[in-house]
Amino acid sequence: MTPTVVRIDAHSPQGRLLDASQPIIDVEDEGYTRGDGVFETMLCVDGAVRKLPRHLARLDHSAQLLQVWNPGEDSWRAALDLALQSAAEGTTTSLGREHTVKLLVSRGVPSEQPYGLVIVSPVPASTITQRTDGVTALLLPRGHDPAEDTSLPWLLSGAKTLSYAINMAVLRYVRTLGAQEAVFIGTDRRILEGATSSVIVAHRTESGVRISTPEPNHGILPGTTQGAIFAGARDEGWEVGFGPLYPADLMEADAVWLASSVRLLAPVTQLNGQALATDDQLTLTLTEFLRTR
Ligand code: PLP
């Protein structure tokens, strides 16, 4: 189905609806030719974008790291309203009508200015299925220690850039091996993150639940889903922890998820061929934390 696309630029700071059946991207656009730009992918349920302030804050941070223009909150909100009003019907799920909403800033054509896009489309059924069926995953080395990137600003650690070729390549690779998802590990076998997700681990304790995730500042994209879930856990009085986590911590956990904005929580059912424990009740509780945060 053709997505709904709204463009923000100097001529239309509040956004202008484009005809997505016509060409939109110039062949010299550096977002397209070099992956030079930033983006966010968000979930919209019944017309309301979830965690919008968290996404706008991360987009702003990414844009600062790339030194690229960011249209700013008022423009994004106006363009989002226009895009959502114009969007085709979303995917109907137990949560409501769901759309995937992308915000994207491209460096644009060299002789022109950067621009923003809001892109709205129905959530794919395969993404919804992951919430209930879970995913099988393999641990794979990232190839270098991302913690070392954090003091090298040109490596853009913590920025959500359009350069996702490696993240897509690792997913193709695990699929040739019969798995669905990849979890990157560091040179010291520390758990880092999924190809397009954060890793969250739960242990039931005598006093409640403890959830943990790898330290988001160590070359790992700070996940807005992870952030919102941890806010909910703190409100419940649960213990929260920021790794280091190692493969054994996942193998012996009471539940492990790959978390991201549109998929929400995909329980990891198998890691490197070994079955992992899952906990439907905890999946529901954590999903509920995301409803309002
Ligand atoms: N880590 C990476 C590398 C990602 O690409 C994503 C999302 O696409 C995430 C983590 C999860 O981020 P969020 O929860 O904000 O969607």
Side-chain angles (χ1 to χ4, degrees):
M1 185 184 290
T2 314
T4 304
V5 183
V6 169
R7 177 178 164 125
I8 305 172
D9 54 31
H11 305 293
S12 40
Q14 305 295 295
R16 161 170 58 95
L17 191 62
L18 301 183
D19 177 355
S21 67
Q22 297 299 312
I24 288 177
I25 307 295
D26 190 293
V27 75
E28 290 187 316
D29 188 313
E30 299 207 331
Y32 169 65
T33 59
R34 299 188 193 274
D36 195 356
V38 297
F39 77 107
E40 285 294 318
T41 305
M42 316 188 289
L43 177 65
C44 176
V45 181
D46 293 333
V49 174
R50 290 202 170 170
K51 308 189 259 84
L52 182 58
R54 288 179 190 270
H55 286 287
L56 289 176
R58 189 171 62 187
L59 187 79
D60 193 48
H61 182 63
S62 301
Q64 283 181 36
L65 287 169
L66 269 78
Q67 299 175 5
V68 68
W69 175 74
N70 176 12
E73 179 165 350
D74 291 349
S75 289
W76 284 124
R77 284 185 183 271
L80 264 171
D81 284 348
L82 175 59
L84 290 171
Q85 280 159 22
S86 319
E89 211 163 281
T91 309
T92 303
T93 72
S94 58
L95 299 182
R97 293 255 165 86
E98 297 194 39
H99 289 96
T100 299
V101 181
K102 271 186 197 257
L103 308 182
L104 181 154
V105 177
S106 166
R107 183 89 52 195
V109 175
S111 57
E112 295 175 15
Q113 299 299 314
Y115 65 90
L117 294 180
V118 177
I119 306 167
V120 180
S121 48
V123 175
S126 56
T127 304
I128 310 280
T129 308
Q130 288 196 8
R131 298 175 189 165
T132 43
D133 292 5
V135 290
T136 58
L138 294 178
L139 297 167
L140 289 170
R142 174 96 105 197
H144 73 288
D145 188 343
E148 290 171 1
D149 297 354
T150 50
S151 58
L152 308 175
W154 57 91
L155 294 182
L156 303 175
S157 175
K160 195 165 164 68
T161 78
L162 292 175
S163 308
Y164 255 56
I166 290 174
N167 309 52
M168 298 298 102
V170 81
L171 289 178
R172 283 194 301 276
Y173 182 77
V174 293
R175 282 166 197 165
T176 64
L177 300 176
Q180 292 166 286
E181 284 288 337
V183 173
F184 284 123
I185 54 174
T187 41
D188 57 358
R189 295 191 62 74
R190 239 176 343 114
I191 303 291
L192 299 173
E193 61 188 342
T196 61
S197 58
S198 308
V199 176
I200 299 178
V201 173
H203 289 92
R204 287 191 180 273
T205 63
E206 275 177 20
S207 55
V209 180
R210 186 179 76 246
I211 55 171
S212 330
T213 194
E215 170 61 64
N217 294 325
H218 289 179
I220 296 167
L221 188 78
T224 61
T225 313
Q226 173 269 314
I229 288 173
F230 276 46
R234 283 196 195 91
D235 290 350
E236 287 298 307
W238 292 6
E239 227 183 293
V240 298
F242 294 93
L245 294 172
Y246 293 92
D249 297 311
L250 275 54
M251 300 295 185
E252 65 200 26
D254 291 315
V256 178
W257 300 270
L258 296 184
S260 56
S261 294
V262 179
R263 117 183 59 198
L264 302 175
L265 288 145
V268 182
T269 55
Q270 235 188 58
L271 188 62
N272 283 2
Q274 181 179 321
L276 296 193
T278 55
D279 187 321
D280 291 347
Q281 186 53 51
L282 276 180
T283 303
L284 276 178
T285 307
L286 267 57
T287 305
E288 193 56 35
F289 290 164
L290 293 169
R291 194 182 285 275
T292 52
R293 294 174 184 84

